[in-house]
Amino acid sequence: MRHMGHSKRRPWLIAGGLIVLIALITVGVIIRQAQARYQSSVYTGSNASQTIDAKQPISILLLGVDTGADGRIDKGNSDTIMVVTINPKTEKTVITSIPRDTLAEMVGTKETNVQKLNAAYNIGGSKMAKASVSKLFNVPINYYATINMGGLKQIVDAVGGVTITSDMDVTFDNITTTKGTHHLNGTQALSYTRMRYQDPRGDYGRQLRQQQVMRAVLTKLAKTSTVSHYSKLLSSLKGNLKTDLSFNDLVALATHDRANMKNIKSTQVVGTGAWINTSSYQILSTKKLQAASDAIRTQLGLSTESLSNMETKLNKLNPTYDGVNNQNYDTNGLDTITYTDGTY
């Protein structure tokens, strides 16, 4: 087994996964002339890629990538990880946030490799990220969208800012959003979604603020009717988004699944802290993994199945770990487990 520690460099997060996606859907309907530009600069699929059946549920993996300020999104750790499921039959959309520090198998390496889930994109790109999340919860991942954090500020500004209600004072990068209701511009919204260490809920509190800003932008998009706003949105996507959703896929979503955007639910998979080789991880119990798998599969119209994967096997090897009284988590037993999922 190959096991690696995680860099101590603090991540740059992007909270705009769903924001960008829905912005693109809306742009796709109103500005058809953007198709060529989109296909050449944003789309990463091929002519043989699967086309969305607007009558069937789909899942989209949203990755906010740690790439600093250079505008590149082909490498970096995916420090925001969300699975968005859209079900046109129930007219429901669910955003499921997954802790970036979740201990998980990197599906697709030559040898068994367990790291923090946010490393999958850095190691094997979107293909490995999709495969690793799929294996973790035993759910199909149909599409992905990778977003650079620079897009959030621009998108929020493009819709004229967002109104949020904060349940605490939030300070980051010398910008403070006090407890209460505020109208935030792009810079303020970015600060609001990035603070982590002063929040008693840690990364889980940050996930809630990310989802809050997403819903606020969606509310603004639903009310926006001028082409100038969509032109700004389109410009904000350049260099900030890569996805295997084609332009026609987005048009299909906008045409057939618009009702889903009126019924959006946000949820989190919550783990417990553990120390492995001097690095801090989040461990998802088998019970919580199974509950998340059941919820996502049900949302996708699939029957539930009993989970059996790397994580459930590791949990069995650590019967005394509870994340409170005992935060030591042993991975040595993995030496007897082999996987042949392919290579990168």
Side-chain angles (χ1 to χ4, degrees):
M1 181 199 70
R2 178 168 170 256
H3 180 89
M4 296 177 60
H6 185 67
S7 170
K8 293 183 179 180
R9 179 168 57 89
R10 299 307 178 195
W12 288 64
L13 297 183
I14 173 65
L18 186 61
I19 294 171
V20 175
L21 183 62
I22 303 306
L24 275 173
I25 293 171
T26 311
V27 171
V29 173
I30 295 182
I31 310 178
R32 289 291 304 189
Q33 63 266 33
Q35 181 170 3
R37 180 178 173 185
Y38 173 84
Q39 292 291 108
S40 64
S41 64
V42 174
Y43 181 56
T44 63
S46 67
N47 292 333
S49 296
Q50 173 187 356
T51 300
I52 283 180
D53 180 347
K55 296 180 180 180
Q56 298 300 318
I58 64 168
S59 61
I60 305 168
L61 179 64
L62 299 176
L63 305 171
V65 180
D66 169 13
T67 54
D70 60 7
R72 292 173 58 252
I73 57 174
D74 58 334
K75 285 293 182 181
N77 294 321
S78 54
D79 289 313
T80 297
I81 306 172
M82 300 179 181
V83 175
V84 176
T85 49
I86 302 173
N87 190 324
K89 297 178 181 179
T90 61
E91 296 186 347
K92 181 191 296 183
T93 295
V94 178
I95 309 169
T96 302
S97 292
I98 306 168
R100 67 190 186 100
D101 292 340
T102 297
L103 181 71
E105 177 192 2
M106 304 291 101
V107 177
T109 54
K110 293 181 179 180
E111 54 187 347
T112 304
N113 186 349
V114 176
Q115 296 195 38
K116 295 182 180 181
L117 184 58
N118 68 346
Y121 181 78
N122 200 4
I123 296 171
S126 59
K127 185 176 182 181
M128 183 177 285
K130 289 169 69 174
S132 297
V133 172
S134 177
K135 188 72 172 284
L136 181 65
F137 296 106
N138 186 30
V139 297
I141 301 295
N142 304 121
Y143 300 94
Y144 85 96
T146 302
I147 303 95
N148 181 22
M149 70 163 296
L152 176 62
K153 175 181 178 297
Q154 299 174 45
I155 291 168
V156 171
D157 284 337
V159 299
V162 295
T163 299
I164 59 91
T165 299
S166 178
D167 59 3
M168 62 180 292
D169 290 351
V170 176
T171 299
F172 194 87
D173 276 351
N174 297 316
I175 298 173
T176 297
T177 301
T178 58
K179 181 178 180 179
T181 300
H182 305 277
H183 188 77
L184 306 182
N185 61 28
T187 300
Q188 293 167 330
L190 184 58
S191 169
Y192 181 71
T193 59
R194 289 180 62 202
M195 189 274 279
R196 174 186 180 189
Y197 294 106
Q198 287 72 46
D199 193 322
R201 301 162 295 187
D203 195 48
Y204 296 105
R206 178 168 55 180
Q207 290 174 16
L208 292 174
R209 281 180 271 115
Q210 292 170 354
Q211 294 176 349
Q212 186 182 25
V213 170
M214 289 181 194
R215 290 192 297 269
V217 170
L218 291 175
T219 298
K220 291 297 291 288
L221 285 173
K223 297 178 180 178
T224 300
S225 58
T226 62
V227 173
S228 63
H229 279 282
Y230 296 114
S231 296
K232 290 180 181 178
L233 283 167
L234 185 60
S235 297
S236 73
L237 300 174
K238 184 179 181 180
N240 291 317
L241 176 68
K242 293 294 182 181
T243 181
D244 54 358
L245 282 159
S246 71
F247 191 89
N248 288 335
D249 289 334
L250 298 175
V251 172
L253 283 172
T255 303
H256 299 285
D257 292 341
R258 186 176 296 273
N260 294 47
M261 300 312 149
K262 297 179 180 179
N263 185 11
I264 300 174
K265 177 185 177 181
S266 299
T267 186
Q268 296 174 297
V269 185
V270 179
T272 51
W275 289 98
I276 304 172
N277 292 353
T278 71
S279 293
S280 175
Y281 287 76
Q282 286 289 300
I283 303 298
L284 302 184
S285 69
T286 297
K287 181 178 180 180
K288 289 185 177 180
L289 282 167
Q290 187 67 60
S293 174
D294 291 349
I296 295 173
R297 290 182 66 86
T298 299
Q299 165 70 355
L300 292 173
L302 303 173
S303 60
T304 60
E305 296 180 350
S306 180
L307 270 180
S308 178
N309 56 21
M310 174 71 75
E311 291 69 33
T312 62
K313 291 172 182 175
L314 276 171
N315 288 338
K316 287 182 181 179
L317 292 173
N318 289 273
T320 63
Y321 165 81
D322 61 10
V324 180
N325 299 311
N326 179 12
Q327 289 193 323
N328 295 315
Y329 196 86
D330 185 13
T331 61
N332 291 330
L334 287 176
D335 290 331
T336 61
I337 300 173
T338 58
Y339 283 82
T340 56
D341 293 293
T343 60
Y344 284 83

